[in-house]
Amino acid sequence: MGAGVRDATGDRPSAVLTVLWIGLVAGTLDISENIIFNYFRGITPKMIFQYIASGLIGMRSIQMGAASVALGVVIHCLIALTWTTIFYLASRRIPALTRHPVISGLTFGGVVYLVMNFAVLTLTAVPHVRAAKTPAALISAVLALLLCIGLPISWLVKRFAPPGPLEN
């Protein structure tokens, strides 16, 4: 991966390609955990992606079929790419984030959990289902963001991002 992520001149890693690649890896890990965990609760991938889409279009996502599934996939990927971009940009300004990827990744995953659950989701049209808030679901949600978002993003940024601060 490292040698393949280069800018047009081939001289240095491309920040955009690096962020895209890392965001897709983290997003894939996160949604895979979600699909596996929810499989045991009888929730299908279609239902997961329609639920994600419901954040934007409300409960009509259930009646939209494949269109809302596709929308859910796109939204999920954009969210993962957004969090990756935030960490990447922060790591260019705060070198300690890449010097200590485990601590910064786990901390970042915790921040992602808090922001997504107590800020972002409250601003969406996602239905708030109390039955979904079991202790197992809470543990799964926290661990997924720590281990599938925060940790991979921080480790991969350390490993593949070009060194040094942002250029002004």
Side-chain angles (χ1 to χ4, degrees), residues 47-64:
M47 294 163 69
I48 292 167
F49 287 115
Q50 287 180 322
Y51 181 78
I52 293 169
S54 75
L56 185 61
I57 60 175
M59 288 306 295
R60 72 174 198 249
S61 67
I62 305 304
Q63 288 82 35
M64 293 178 59

Side-chain angles (χ1 to χ4, degrees), residues 35-49:
I35 289 168
I36 292 166
F37 175 77
N38 281 300
Y39 170 81
F40 295 105
R41 299 184 342 151
I43 298 171
T44 67
K46 175 183 176 184
M47 294 163 69
I48 292 167
F49 287 115

Side-chain angles (χ1 to χ4, degrees), residues 51 126-133:
Y51 181 78
V126 168
H128 301 286
V129 182
R130 288 205 176 268
K133 301 289 184 193

Side-chain angles (χ1 to χ4, degrees), residues 6-20:
R6 299 285 174 189
D7 66 6
T9 66
D11 292 336
R12 60 188 173 93
S14 165
V16 172
L17 290 178
T18 299
V19 167
L20 284 173

